[in-house]
């Protein structure tokens, strides 16, 4: 084989290798553009510029359960939530969450689930939203569906969370608490979709799709 022919063959091989690697990276980028089961995220209300937050502070009225608020501070570790499957129907760790899928949203620090029920919220008189359960296990009022366009929940997409049990949307309308959580915003459920109930993922750890067997990857 001549030097020219050998160079041409090597060039073709390198080009093919580059295309294969590029295709692999493109596929991985596409997978990672979605919010996946098991991901640990901060959820940002796009109308009021606050992150969904909780802490071991109970409501002084209503249910008396752990309060859920909105905070402006982007660095607060109490604003991380894990995306999980609903009770008795776990999702595959790393699998993209589908639009319309039923999920639980679990507070990382306290292990309680985002929850709502027929109590009035303390400031706006909408429906109270709390954090409920122990070690990630609560009840059927911990389940929400992801309302989004397309097939899967995309990381840079604004979505709504609709409560399965009571049909309200996770919302913020700007009311602020006083002591002991001064300046934090009330989070509540509203009966209709509107500008106050759009949420987008911000900081977090997004779990990659796993190749491991299902028994190791359920959440």
């Amino acid at each position: 084989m001549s030097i020219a022919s050998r160079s041409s063959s090597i060039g073709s091989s390198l080009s093919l290798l580059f295309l294969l690697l590029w295709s692999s990276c493109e596929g991985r980028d596409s997978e990672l553009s979605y919010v996946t089961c098991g991901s640990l995220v901060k959820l940002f209300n796009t109308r009021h510029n606050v992150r969904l937050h909780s802490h071991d502070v109970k409501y002084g009225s209503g249910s008396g359960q752990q309060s859920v608020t909105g905070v402006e501070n982007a660095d607060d570790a109490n604003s991380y939530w894990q995306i999980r499957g609903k009770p008795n129907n776990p999702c595959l760790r790393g699998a993209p969450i589908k639009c319309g899928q039923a999920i639980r949203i679990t507070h990382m620090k306290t292990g309680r689930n985002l929850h709502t029920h027929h109590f009035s919220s303390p400031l706006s008189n909408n429906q109270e939203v709390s954090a409920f359960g122990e070690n990630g296990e609560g009840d059927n009022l911990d389940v929400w569906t992801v309302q989004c366009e397309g097939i899967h929940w995309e990381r840079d997409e604004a979505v709504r969370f609709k409560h399965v049990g009571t049909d309200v949307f996770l919302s913020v309308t700007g009311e602020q608490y006083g002591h002991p959580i001064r300046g934090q915003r009330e989070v509540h459920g509203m009966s209709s979709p509107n500008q106050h109930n759009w949420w987008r993922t911000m900081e977090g750890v997004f779990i990659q799709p796993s190749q491991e067997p299902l028994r190791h990857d359920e959440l």
Side-chain angles (χ1 to χ4, degrees), residues 16-213:
L16 179 60
L17 179 60
F18 172 78
L19 286 172
L20 288 171
L21 289 172
W22 182 82
S23 297
S24 176
C25 290
E26 283 288 293
R28 176 61 63 185
D29 287 345
S30 176
E31 288 175 337
L32 296 182
S33 68
Y34 301 125
V35 178
T36 54
C37 177
S39 291
L40 195 65
V41 299
K42 292 184 179 181
L43 296 169
F44 180 77
N45 184 281
T46 61
R47 175 65 178 84
H48 295 279
N49 300 322
V50 293
R51 287 162 175 78
L52 189 69
H53 178 91
S54 192
H55 37 229
D56 196 12
V57 176
K58 306 295 192 293
Y59 285 121
S61 61
S63 69
Q65 293 174 4
Q66 182 172 304
S67 58
V68 172
T69 63
V71 297
E72 294 180 346
N73 183 3
D75 299 325
D76 196 318
N78 278 313
S79 299
Y80 280 109
W81 301 80
Q82 187 176 42
I83 307 302
R84 305 169 63 223
K86 64 182 183 179
N88 304 315
N89 188 15
C91 53
L92 180 66
R93 183 177 173 86
I97 300 296
K98 296 179 180 179
C99 295
Q101 183 172 339
I103 61 170
R104 284 177 293 177
I105 303 172
T106 304
H107 189 241
M108 182 191 74
K109 284 273 191 173
T110 62
R112 296 190 172 102
N113 298 320
L114 190 69
H115 179 98
T116 190
H117 39 216
H118 293 297
F119 286 93
S120 294
S121 61
L123 302 182
S124 67
N125 206 37
N126 284 298
Q127 185 163 298
E128 181 192 277
V129 170
S130 64
F132 176 75
E134 296 294 337
N135 300 316
E137 298 305 321
D139 63 22
N140 61 354
L141 292 177
D142 300 340
V143 182
W144 305 75
T145 57
V146 182
Q147 305 286 299
C148 54
E149 300 292 336
I151 298 173
H152 294 103
W153 177 7
E154 298 189 9
R155 284 170 51 175
D156 59 355
E157 177 184 16
V159 304
R160 291 187 173 102
F161 300 104
K162 186 175 184 180
H163 190 243
V164 171
T166 64
D167 291 330
V168 298
F169 294 87
L170 185 68
S171 307
V172 177
T173 50
E175 296 83 4
Q176 294 190 28
Y177 287 105
H179 181 79
I181 50 175
R182 185 175 303 279
Q184 295 185 23
R185 311 295 176 84
E186 182 184 84
V187 172
H188 49 246
M190 299 185 76
S191 60
S192 60
N194 55 54
Q195 62 182 337
H196 301 293
N197 37 58
W198 287 115
W199 300 84
R200 184 163 58 87
T201 57
M202 296 294 281
E203 305 82 3
V205 178
F206 294 86
I207 303 300
Q208 297 183 17
S210 172
Q211 301 302 316
E212 304 221 0

